[in-house]
Amino acid sequence: DTEVTQTPKHLVMGMTNKKSLKCEQHMGHRAMYWYKQKAKKPPELMFVYSYEKLSINESVPSRFSPECPNSSLLNLHLHALQPEDSALYLCASSQPGLLNTEAFFGQGTRLTVV
Amino acid sequence: GQQLNQSPQSMFIQEGEDVSMNCTSSSIFNTWLWYKQEPGEGPVLLIALYKAGELTSNGRLTAQFGITRKDSFLNISASIPSDVGIYFCAGHTSGGYQKVTFGIGTKLQVIP
């Protein structure tokens, strides 16, 4: 099983709303990631969790708040977003180490902020 | 953020033709990855390379990890319409987590 599951697949939210994106993997991976992808661009790293601890925050605005409740789950809490935050949000996971460390991606959540 | 130099950025080819795309970096990577992404979907891993000089195949796809560890190429042989998509190279160094750097992507269109 190399599946990373993201919910919801699509989300439309107003600028005053609070919503959450969810990600789940059962591959035993101990590193999980949030990426943001704008149209016709490569994914851009937002956050990295390693062994359930936040390891990297790529200077992401505080209106994005990640959470890693356990080794299988990763959430991204959204609050007071701007229209320019509309994008495809991708979750990924990988196994730490020297080999077989490739990241597997979920199908993404298409977020539209209105 | 940092990006790899991936080329070409787009390709139109006839069905049945072979395709080649490559990536170069100013940094050394321990791992090179090639992903394919279709509209509205997440990137799907095609090939992972871990050793300098390694040549790996996955069906009609072949990729190589450059000997200098700063480049990689992907070949697709006998292209078919379902090969359409955006192909991303990616590189990272190994460790507790992987900060993956992505190329700009190669958009492939196959003309039946």
Side-chain angles (χ1 to χ4, degrees):
Chain A
D1 180 12
T2 57
E3 191 168 297
V4 176
T5 303
Q6 289 187 244
T7 56
K9 189 170 173 62
H10 300 278
L11 179 62
V12 179
M13 61 184 291
M15 288 187 286
T16 58
N17 290 161
K18 285 185 180 181
K19 296 287 184 182
S20 295
L21 309 184
K22 297 185 182 299
C23 175
E24 187 170 4
Q25 57 88 14
H26 295 288
M27 294 177 277
H29 290 171
R30 302 306 298 275
M32 296 187 75
Y33 312 77
W34 281 114
Y35 285 83
K36 174 182 178 180
Q37 187 178 27
K38 301 286 275 184
K40 300 182 181 180
K41 297 289 187 181
E44 292 182 7
L45 184 65
M46 298 175 71
F47 302 104
V48 179
Y49 273 83
S50 178
Y51 295 93
E52 296 86 67
K53 294 192 187 305
L54 184 63
S55 298
I56 293 179
N57 175 343
E58 292 284 271
S59 303
V60 179
S62 60
R63 58 186 184 269
F64 296 91
S65 176
E67 178 195 19
C68 190
N70 60 55
S71 60
S72 300
L73 297 174
L74 185 67
N75 299 322
L76 186 62
H77 303 297
L78 315 172
H79 174 55
L81 295 193
Q82 302 297 311
E84 59 265 28
D85 295 322
S86 299
L88 182 68
Y89 288 84
L90 295 162
C91 173
S93 70
S94 69
Q95 186 66 345
L98 298 177
L99 291 176
N100 301 319
T101 57
E102 58 269 23
F104 291 91
F105 284 81
Q107 65 182 8
T109 293
R110 172 69 62 187
L111 174 67
T112 303
V113 181
V114 297
Chain B
Q2 181 185 7
Q3 291 183 343
L4 301 175
N5 296 314
Q6 184 173 350
S7 63
Q9 290 191 25
S10 66
M11 302 179 75
F12 283 84
I13 61 168
Q14 288 285 127
E15 182 177 358
E17 287 184 350
D18 297 344
V19 174
S20 184
M21 57 193 80
N22 67 79
C23 254
T24 60
S25 170
S26 57
S27 304
I28 289 175
F29 290 114
N30 293 338
T31 301
W32 281 92
L33 307 167
W34 284 92
Y35 290 90
K36 177 187 177 186
Q37 187 174 26
E38 298 185 28
E41 301 292 331
V44 174
L45 182 67
L46 299 174
I47 292 180
L49 302 157
Y50 292 101
K51 296 179 182 178
E54 179 182 359
L55 184 71
T56 297
S57 293
N58 178 7
R60 293 178 297 107
L61 278 59
T62 302
Q64 184 158 31
F65 191 145
I67 197 72
T68 65
R69 297 167 68 187
K70 293 184 177 181
D71 63 297
S72 178
F73 72 76
L74 174 71
N75 288 341
I76 305 173
S77 63
S79 58
I80 59 178
S82 61
D83 290 333
V84 166
I86 300 177
Y87 292 79
F88 289 104
C89 64
H92 70 71
T93 54
S94 303
Y97 54 81
Q98 290 78 43
K99 187 172 180 179
V100 178
T101 300
F102 280 87
I104 197 71
T106 295
K107 184 175 182 179
L108 178 64
Q109 301 193 55
V110 179
I111 303 168

